[in-house]
Each structure stands twice: as structure tokens, then as C-alpha cells.
Amino acid sequence: MVDIITSVSLPVDEELQIKRNRLMPEMCSGTEKRISIVTGIHGDELEGQYVCFELQRRIMEEKEKLSGIVDIYPAMNPLGIDSITRGIPAFDLDMNRLFPGNIDGNMTEYLAAGIMEDVSGSDCVIDIHASNIYLTEIPQIRINELHEAKLVPLAEELNVDFIWVHGASTVLESTFAYSLNSTGTPTLVVEMGVGMRLTQSYGNQLTDGILNLMRKMGIWKGDVKRPRNPIVSRNPDDVCYLNAPTGGLFVPKVHHWEKLKRGEVIGVIADPLHGVILDEVKAPADGILFTIRDYPIVDEGSLMGRLLRREVYE
């Protein structure tokens, strides 16, 4: 059942509508648990669109096995998705910096407040993001350490490769997930893939995980796949950031999610004009590469990747 959860009038007799599709059993007792799948807060992050499609497709194939409520919110920032814009077009605003919003505020604050009101009270929320157009991320969940005890057990059911617990100071209080978690609605932030693209293998992996979590919660009675055993990082020193020593054309030499040795060449930065290698990007420690540069043109200091130290997973 598709509903409009909030809307505002636009110029030229148009209306911005944020929609939700609710899937539920034929017969409800009123005590069913509810999971909400949210994506499209950033208009250039499309990986979650595929998850919304694939999850609904699988549920509808075995609708009789649905024993709870599944709310699908595929486009929280529909103007951004339509225009391939990260923020809200014309306002130059990042929607994920507007929560919890204000029902009496301006248009963007009003929309954020309407979203919060509708999603709040879910037994679990999955907030799906992609990376930007520059970086590719392996499927991972990022958690504020303030909510670690409640969220890590849920995250471990979602079939991701990596769970990254951040310090509280690194998490902005105006984000959708922080606002919901602070008011008692458990919300997991998924990062995976790359901006403006679909990575079907990652989408299928996460869909498997969502069904597994739904089964744990008593929302799904169908068969599920056993989730992967994720690596969990809690120490900021676990992660090495790799930055470009100079500008040029980045040519990778290794694959994403590959185990590396200290000093191993991750890629070279080339000069297309003179046909020479300007510098090399090397692994600063033994570890596994969970972020890698996807867009090849780099400037000095550009983020090339992130490496998780070997001590964390061995």
C-alpha cells in the first residue's frame, strides 16, 4: 500500500511528495513488529534503490511468509534523485543535516519533521547510503559508539563485511540516524558501493541480510541465508587513511577488499601528458582495503582509500 507521508507545494502547480510502500500480512493482530528500509536521502546515492526493489520482489514471491510490517521509503529526497544531485536542488542543502526537522519551519525542515514522525517507532530502521562518485565502499555498517550495545547485535545479522564503530564526536547530531537513535528508534547506517551507480552483488548481499534480520525479529518466516561474520572495528587507530601524494591519473594495481602487505603498491599516479609515473600509493601497514578510489583524476591530498589493519581481523 503506497502512501504519501509528507508533501509540499512547488511552483507551477507541482507538488513534492515523499512516499512509502507498506507491506504487511493479510491478517494482522496489531502486535506485529515493523522494519523500515530508507534510502535516497542523498540524491546521487542509488545503491539503496536496487535493495528496495529486490527486497519487495522477494517478499511478494512468498507473501504468505510475511509476519510483520515492512515499510519501504525509496526516495527521501526525490528532487535530488530526479536531478542526480546529492542535496536538495535549489536550496543547496544536505538533507542529512536537517534532522529532526521542524514541523513549523521552512520547506526542508517541514519535510524532515514529517519523515521523522512517520519512521519513528519502527523496531528497526535500515538507512542505506552509497559512497560518493569518487570512492567505492565494501558493504559496511557505521555505528555511533553511544548506541553500540543496542546496534551491533542487529548489525551482525545484516550480512555485511565490516562494522565500523565511530567515536561520538565524529557523528553529526543533525543526521537522520543520530536523530532516530537518540529518540529510541534503532537505526543502522549502511554504506556500500559507489555514487550514481548500482552494484547488484552488494545489493543482493544486503537484501539477504535484511531478510535474515527480519526472520530474527519475527517479521519473516521464509528461508534465509546464514549471514557473513563481519569484522568489527572499535578503535580509531584500526583504520589507515591513504591520501594522494600528488595530483594526476590514479591507476589501481590491486582489487577492492584485498589483503595487502606493508609497502605493497595499491596504485600509481601517472602523468598522461608526459607518459611518466609521478608517484606510488603504498599500503602503510598490513591490512585489508575496504575503500578504494573509483574516480581516476586526483589532486594532492585526495582520499585514495582506507585500509583496516590486520590485527583487527586476525
Side-chain angles (χ1 to χ4, degrees), residues 14-150:
E14 293 182 319
E15 186 178 36
L16 188 160
Q17 300 177 341
I18 298 178
K19 299 179 180 180
R20 176 200 69 204
N21 192 12
R22 171 165 287 182
L23 308 179
M24 53 198 304
E26 294 293 332
M27 301 293 293
C28 291
S29 65
T31 61
E32 287 78 14
K33 289 195 172 182
R34 171 188 171 205
I35 189 169
S36 293
I37 312 302
V38 174
T39 190
I41 287 178
H42 291 137
D44 61 350
E45 298 179 358
L46 306 176
E47 300 281 10
Q49 298 274 304
Y50 177 77
V51 175
C52 290
F53 154 72
E54 180 64 11
L55 180 62
Q56 291 183 84
R57 185 190 68 79
R58 295 193 199 181
I59 290 173
M60 294 309 294
E61 283 185 348
E62 300 181 282
K63 183 72 181 300
E64 70 282 359
K65 296 178 180 177
L66 184 64
S67 52
I69 297 171
V70 181
D71 281 343
I72 306 288
Y73 303 81
M76 288 301 202
N77 177 9
L79 292 181
I81 291 175
D82 289 347
S83 59
I84 323 175
T85 305
R86 182 174 181 81
I88 302 175
F91 291 88
D92 195 26
L93 290 173
D94 184 337
M95 191 175 197
N96 210 26
R97 302 294 181 268
L98 297 175
F99 294 97
N102 180 357
I103 203 72
D104 297 315
N106 62 30
M107 180 191 111
T108 58
E109 294 172 325
Y110 173 82
L111 289 172
I115 291 168
M116 282 289 294
E117 181 180 3
D118 200 76
V119 179
S120 292
S122 302
D123 293 284
C124 185
V125 179
I126 313 297
D127 179 20
I128 306 172
H129 292 260
S131 186
N132 53 38
I133 63 170
Y134 301 103
L135 301 166
T136 299
E137 302 278 5
I138 56 103
Q140 62 195 265
I141 292 175
R142 299 181 182 178
I143 292 173
N144 184 329
E145 66 180 5
L146 296 175
H147 309 290
E148 175 184 354
K150 180 187 292 185

Side-chain angles (χ1 to χ4, degrees), residues 172-238:
L172 295 175
E173 295 184 7
S174 53
T175 63
F176 177 66
Y178 185 95
S179 298
L180 283 172
N181 279 313
S182 297
T183 54
T185 298
T187 304
L188 297 167
V189 177
V190 176
E191 296 273 356
M192 65 178 190
V194 63
M196 299 188 187
R197 298 291 184 272
L198 295 182
T199 312
Q200 289 190 44
S201 60
Y202 289 170
N204 291 331
Q205 178 181 338
L206 182 60
T207 302
D208 289 339
I210 293 173
L211 287 169
N212 180 69
L213 178 58
M214 287 168 54
R215 186 173 176 89
K216 280 279 187 181
M217 295 174 63
I219 296 174
W220 181 248
K221 295 179 179 178
D223 294 334
V224 296
K225 294 183 179 179
R226 183 175 179 178
R228 304 180 186 204
N229 186 25
I231 300 167
V232 181
S233 168
R234 294 179 170 86
N235 188 336
D237 295 333
D238 291 344

